[in-house]
Protein backbone atom coordinates (compact mmCIF):
# COMPACT_ATOMS: atom_id res chain seq x y z
CA UNK A 1 0.00 0.00 0.00
CA UNK A 2 2.97 2.31 -0.45
CA UNK A 3 1.71 3.70 -3.74
CA UNK A 4 -1.99 3.86 -3.09
CA UNK A 5 -4.20 4.22 -0.01
CA UNK A 6 -7.75 4.97 -1.17
CA UNK A 7 -8.94 1.50 -2.23
CA UNK A 8 -9.03 -1.69 -0.17
CA UNK A 9 -7.43 -1.19 3.25
CA UNK A 10 -4.21 -2.92 4.16
CA UNK A 11 -3.96 -6.03 6.32
CA UNK A 12 -5.50 -5.89 9.76
CA UNK A 13 -3.39 -6.40 12.81
CA UNK A 14 -2.85 -10.02 13.75
CA UNK A 15 -6.05 -11.54 15.02
CA UNK A 16 -6.22 -12.72 18.62
CA UNK A 17 -5.89 -16.43 19.35
CA UNK A 18 -4.05 -17.15 16.11
CA UNK A 19 -2.71 -20.63 15.39
CA UNK A 20 -0.16 -21.22 12.61
CA UNK A 21 1.39 -24.35 11.15
CA UNK A 22 4.34 -24.38 8.73
CA UNK A 23 5.40 -27.56 6.96
CA UNK A 24 9.04 -28.57 6.77
CA UNK A 25 10.73 -27.64 3.50
CA UNK A 26 10.69 -30.52 0.98
CA UNK A 27 12.51 -30.19 -2.38
CA UNK A 28 12.42 -26.41 -1.92
CA UNK A 29 8.68 -26.24 -1.19
CA UNK A 30 6.99 -25.31 2.09
CA UNK A 31 3.46 -24.34 3.02
CA UNK A 32 1.69 -22.68 5.91
CA UNK A 33 -1.78 -22.15 7.25
CA UNK A 34 -3.00 -19.68 9.87
CA UNK A 35 -6.34 -19.31 11.61
CA UNK A 36 -7.29 -16.59 14.04
CA UNK A 37 -10.49 -16.02 16.04
CA UNK A 38 -10.98 -12.52 17.38
CA UNK A 39 -12.91 -12.51 20.65
CA UNK A 40 -13.58 -8.76 20.61
CA UNK A 41 -17.38 -8.69 20.16
CA UNK A 42 -17.33 -5.11 18.80
CA UNK A 43 -15.07 -5.88 15.83
CA UNK A 44 -15.09 -9.69 15.60
CA UNK A 45 -12.80 -10.47 12.68
CA UNK A 46 -11.82 -14.04 11.95
CA UNK A 47 -8.81 -14.55 9.75
CA UNK A 48 -7.59 -17.48 7.65
CA UNK A 49 -4.41 -17.47 5.56
CA UNK A 50 -2.57 -19.97 3.40
CA UNK A 51 0.80 -19.74 1.74
CA UNK A 52 3.00 -21.81 -0.55
CA UNK A 53 6.69 -21.00 -0.92
CA UNK A 54 9.51 -22.27 -3.11
CA UNK A 55 13.13 -21.53 -2.19
CA UNK A 56 16.03 -22.97 -4.14
CA UNK A 57 19.46 -21.36 -4.17
CA UNK A 58 19.03 -17.65 -4.85
CA UNK A 59 15.38 -17.92 -5.95
CA UNK A 60 12.49 -17.31 -3.52
CA UNK A 61 8.88 -17.34 -4.84
CA UNK A 62 5.63 -17.37 -2.90
CA UNK A 63 1.88 -17.49 -3.32
CA UNK A 64 -0.39 -16.40 -0.47
CA UNK A 65 -4.10 -15.99 0.24
CA UNK A 66 -5.62 -14.24 3.24
CA UNK A 67 -9.28 -13.77 4.10
CA UNK A 68 -10.60 -11.58 6.92
CA UNK A 69 -14.27 -11.88 7.87
CA UNK A 70 -15.81 -8.99 9.83
CA UNK A 71 -19.04 -10.36 11.29
CA UNK A 72 -20.31 -6.96 12.47
CA UNK A 73 -19.59 -5.19 9.15
CA UNK A 74 -19.54 -7.57 6.13
CA UNK A 75 -18.62 -4.67 3.78
CA UNK A 76 -15.29 -4.62 5.65
CA UNK A 77 -14.48 -8.25 4.71
CA UNK A 78 -11.16 -8.44 2.86
CA UNK A 79 -9.38 -10.93 0.63
CA UNK A 80 -5.78 -10.74 -0.54
CA UNK A 81 -3.89 -12.85 -3.06
CA UNK A 82 -0.17 -12.12 -3.33
CA UNK A 83 2.59 -13.44 -5.58
CA UNK A 84 6.04 -12.17 -4.49
CA UNK A 85 9.43 -13.23 -5.90
CA UNK A 86 13.08 -12.41 -5.26
CA UNK A 87 16.36 -13.53 -6.78
CA UNK A 88 19.88 -12.91 -5.47
CA UNK A 89 22.41 -12.33 -8.22
CA UNK A 90 26.16 -11.95 -7.83
CA UNK A 91 26.16 -8.22 -6.98
CA UNK A 92 22.52 -7.43 -6.18
CA UNK A 93 19.08 -8.79 -5.33
CA UNK A 94 16.00 -8.21 -7.47
CA UNK A 95 12.42 -8.46 -6.21
CA UNK A 96 8.92 -8.02 -7.56
CA UNK A 97 5.37 -8.77 -6.68
CA UNK A 98 1.71 -8.67 -7.54
CA UNK A 99 -1.22 -8.41 -5.14
CA UNK A 100 -4.97 -8.44 -5.74
CA UNK A 101 -7.10 -7.06 -2.92
CA UNK A 102 -10.87 -6.84 -2.63
CA UNK A 103 -13.33 -5.95 0.08
CA UNK A 104 -16.89 -6.97 0.90
CA UNK A 105 -18.28 -3.78 -0.64
CA UNK A 106 -16.84 -4.66 -4.08
CA UNK A 107 -13.75 -2.43 -4.27
CA UNK A 108 -10.78 -4.13 -5.99
CA UNK A 109 -7.08 -3.18 -6.17
CA UNK A 110 -4.31 -4.54 -8.39
CA UNK A 111 -0.86 -3.69 -7.05
CA UNK A 112 2.62 -4.23 -8.51
CA UNK A 113 6.13 -3.75 -7.10
CA UNK A 114 9.72 -4.01 -8.33
CA UNK A 115 12.87 -3.46 -6.32
CA UNK A 116 16.62 -3.83 -6.14
CA UNK A 117 19.00 -4.21 -3.17
CA UNK A 118 22.74 -3.65 -3.60
CA UNK A 119 25.01 -4.71 -0.69
CA UNK A 120 28.38 -2.92 -0.42
CA UNK A 121 30.26 -4.20 2.60
CA UNK A 122 28.51 -2.86 5.71
CA UNK A 123 26.20 -0.68 3.55
CA UNK A 124 23.06 -1.66 1.65
CA UNK A 125 21.39 0.58 -0.92
CA UNK A 126 17.86 -0.12 -2.12
CA UNK A 127 15.38 1.30 -4.60
CA UNK A 128 11.84 0.35 -5.49
CA UNK A 129 8.85 1.35 -7.56
CA UNK A 130 5.20 0.48 -6.87
CA UNK A 131 2.01 1.20 -8.75
CA UNK A 132 -1.63 0.28 -8.32
CA UNK A 133 -5.07 0.58 -9.88
CA UNK A 134 -8.34 0.53 -7.95
CA UNK A 135 -11.93 0.11 -9.10
CA UNK A 136 -14.47 1.33 -6.54
CA UNK A 137 -17.65 -0.59 -5.75
CA UNK A 138 -20.00 2.25 -6.68
CA UNK A 139 -18.06 3.20 -9.81
CA UNK A 140 -14.98 5.29 -10.31
CA UNK A 141 -11.33 4.42 -10.17
CA UNK A 142 -7.95 5.61 -8.96
CA UNK A 143 -4.28 5.07 -9.75
CA UNK A 144 -1.21 5.48 -7.59
CA UNK A 145 2.53 5.17 -7.97
CA UNK A 146 5.59 5.75 -5.83
CA UNK A 147 9.37 5.54 -6.01
CA UNK A 148 11.55 4.95 -2.95
CA UNK A 149 15.28 4.88 -2.22
CA UNK A 150 16.98 3.90 1.00
CA UNK A 151 20.20 2.94 2.65
CA UNK A 152 21.26 0.94 5.67
CA UNK A 153 24.49 0.54 7.62
CA UNK A 154 25.06 -2.68 9.58
CA UNK A 155 26.35 -1.99 13.08
CA UNK A 156 26.30 -5.73 13.89
CA UNK A 157 24.68 -8.93 12.66
CA UNK A 158 21.34 -7.89 14.25
CA UNK A 159 21.47 -4.07 14.39
CA UNK A 160 21.43 -1.51 11.59
CA UNK A 161 20.92 2.21 10.99
CA UNK A 162 18.62 3.11 8.10
CA UNK A 163 17.26 6.08 6.15
CA UNK A 164 14.78 6.18 3.27
CA UNK A 165 12.63 8.55 1.24
CA UNK A 166 9.50 7.85 -0.81
CA UNK A 167 7.82 10.10 -3.37
CA UNK A 168 4.46 9.21 -4.90
CA UNK A 169 1.10 10.40 -6.10
CA UNK A 170 -2.51 9.26 -6.13
CA UNK A 171 -4.89 10.21 -8.94
CA UNK A 172 -8.60 9.68 -8.30
CA UNK A 173 -11.13 10.34 -11.06
CA UNK A 174 -12.87 13.66 -10.39
CA UNK A 175 -10.47 14.71 -7.61
CA UNK A 176 -7.17 16.56 -7.31
CA UNK A 177 -3.94 14.57 -7.47
CA UNK A 178 -2.58 13.84 -4.01
CA UNK A 179 1.21 13.97 -3.65
CA UNK A 180 2.80 11.83 -0.93
CA UNK A 181 6.31 12.13 0.46
CA UNK A 182 7.58 10.06 3.37
CA UNK A 183 10.94 10.14 5.14
CA UNK A 184 12.24 7.49 7.50
CA UNK A 185 15.33 7.41 9.72
CA UNK A 186 15.98 4.94 12.52
CA UNK A 187 17.70 2.02 14.17
CA UNK A 188 16.53 -1.57 13.73
CA UNK A 189 17.47 -4.42 16.06
CA UNK A 190 16.26 -7.92 15.16
Amino acid sequence: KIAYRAGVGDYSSRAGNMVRYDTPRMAGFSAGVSYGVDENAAQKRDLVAYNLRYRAGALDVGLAFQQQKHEATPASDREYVALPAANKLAMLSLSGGYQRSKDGAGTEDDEYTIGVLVPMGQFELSAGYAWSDADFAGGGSAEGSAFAVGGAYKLSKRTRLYAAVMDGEIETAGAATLDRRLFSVGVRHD
Side-chain angles (χ1 to χ4, degrees), residues 51-166:
N51 74 299
L52 180 63
R53 186 174 187 179
Y54 177 75
R55 287 188 292 177
L59 181 65
D60 191 350
V61 179
L63 176 63
F65 171 80
Q66 178 172 312
Q67 182 181 57
Q68 297 168 200
K69 290 289 192 182
H70 295 248
E71 290 181 18
T73 54
S76 297
D77 288 354
R78 297 177 185 160
E79 287 185 0
Y80 305 93
V81 176
L83 177 63
N87 195 14
K88 291 181 183 176
L89 305 173
M91 300 290 290
L92 55 89
S93 295
L94 298 174
S95 62
Y98 167 76
Q99 177 173 284
R100 170 135 258 207
S101 309
K102 60 184 181 177
D103 66 20
T107 297
E108 295 184 354
D109 290 345
D110 288 305
E111 301 154 350
Y112 309 87
T113 61
I114 56 173
V116 63
L117 175 71
V118 182
M120 297 182 301
Q122 295 295 102
F123 290 98
E124 289 179 342
L125 298 177
S126 61
Y129 181 72
W131 66 102
S132 61
D133 297 305
D135 292 316
F136 300 119
S141 62
E143 296 179 351
S145 63
F147 179 74
V149 294
Y153 179 76
K154 296 178 186 176
L155 295 173
S156 70
K157 186 176 181 178
R158 297 176 52 201
T159 306
R160 72 183 85 182
L161 303 174
Y162 65 87
V165 61
M166 189 240 7

Side-chain angles (χ1 to χ4, degrees), residues 14-19 34-38 45-49 67:
R14 189 183 79 139
N17 298 318
M18 180 175 279
V19 176
S34 301
Y35 184 73
V37 178
D38 194 342
R45 23 173 233 263
D46 293 347
L47 178 142
V48 63
Q67 182 181 57

